[in-house]
Amino acid sequence: MTQVLPKLLTFNEFIEWYPNDGKRYELHKGVIIEMPPPTGSHEKVVGFIAHKLTVEFDRLNLRYTIPKTVSIKTPSAESAYSPDVLLLNLDNLDNEPLFQKQSTVSQAASVPIVIEVVSSNWRDDYYNKLRDYEEMGIPEYWIADYAALGARKFIGNPKQPTIFICELVDGEYQMISFQGNTAISSPTFPQLNLTAQQIFNAAN
């Protein structure tokens, strides 16, 4: 008996399929993934980080925004992600061919920072998305593991809540971890006054 493999979707097929059912979906290497409903703690962390970054780019009078729903299309076009926090550079959106009709960006110049707040599917944030954001050339990627869900090789044994700031250096991410009351060091916002513990506390 011949097993028929499921057809992998292109990005355009995924966009055409996307239902208006209130759920979030991502395309991972051509496969549709329904995102798990976020917990209240997860959403409080997302809101806290978005607020802190908004205050900072507003203080610096930068033409940035944090949209509610924008997808990132990876260079291979096999994946499309909907990050928890996406900092958009408004000045580059005219160069984005998919933004007006499909609310999608595909250029690193449009994304100064992308942030994933870790949930049950933590491997996506630590492996797949890190690799794809790196390949795309996004200069700064945060992994906010407030619930200490990631592997021990990343966050220690016993596991500790950790924020990773991944800075693109010579085409590769350099990961720096922040725990406790350590001040976070953001390459995009070097004067950002924020500690890892403040982010963790936002979940309570």
Side-chain angles (χ1 to χ4, degrees):
M1 181 176 176
T2 302
Q3 182 179 5
V4 179
L5 296 176
K7 178 181 180 295
L8 298 180
L9 269 66
T10 66
F11 172 79
N12 287 335
E13 289 171 335
F14 171 68
I15 291 297
E16 290 174 6
W17 166 88
Y18 205 106
N20 186 19
D21 60 3
K23 299 177 181 178
R24 289 176 61 213
Y25 301 91
E26 293 185 339
L27 187 69
H28 292 206
K29 291 191 174 298
V31 177
I32 295 171
I33 304 293
E34 180 181 343
M35 306 306 290
T39 64
S41 295
H42 179 279
E43 290 303 275
K44 286 197 287 185
V45 171
V46 169
F48 178 78
I49 293 173
H51 170 72
K52 288 294 184 181
L53 293 186
T54 300
V55 169
E56 187 65 5
F57 71 69
D58 188 56
R59 182 184 72 83
L60 296 171
N61 199 29
L62 296 171
R63 281 182 41 79
Y64 291 166
T65 192
I66 296 177
K68 180 177 181 293
T69 307
V70 169
S71 294
I72 293 181
K73 175 176 170 286
T74 64
S76 64
E78 294 177 338
S79 300
Y81 300 133
S82 179
D84 290 309
V85 180
L86 175 60
L87 188 65
L88 275 185
N89 177 6
L90 294 172
D91 287 336
N92 195 62
L93 293 185
D94 285 344
N95 301 321
E96 289 282 2
L98 302 173
F99 184 74
Q100 288 301 328
K101 289 187 176 182
Q102 298 170 333
S103 188
T104 298
V105 295
S106 58
Q107 300 173 10
S110 299
V111 187
I113 297 177
V114 61
I115 299 172
E116 299 289 358
V117 177
V118 177
S119 54
S120 57
N121 53 341
W122 62 267
R123 287 177 178 83
D124 289 337
D125 301 327
Y126 278 97
Y127 293 104
N128 300 336
K129 294 182 181 181
L130 184 144
R131 178 197 63 230
D132 289 343
Y133 293 152
E134 179 184 72
E135 180 191 3
M136 187 175 169
I138 293 175
E140 187 171 338
Y141 171 40
W142 295 21
I143 302 172
D145 196 348
Y146 74 94
L149 297 174
R152 290 177 179 85
K153 66 180 178 180
F154 293 114
I155 61 176
N157 187 13
K159 294 184 176 184
Q160 298 290 324
T162 307
I163 307 293
F164 289 94
I165 306 291
C166 309
E167 180 184 4
L168 196 70
V169 178
D170 295 330
E172 297 181 2
Y173 277 144
Q174 306 299 314
M175 297 177 67
I176 301 178
S177 62
F178 300 89
Q179 298 176 336
N181 290 314
T182 306
I184 285 174
S185 177
S186 165
T188 303
F189 298 119
Q191 294 178 299
L192 183 66
N193 185 17
L194 183 63
T195 68
Q197 193 62 48
Q198 285 176 300
I199 295 176
F200 306 147
N201 291 344
N204 301 324

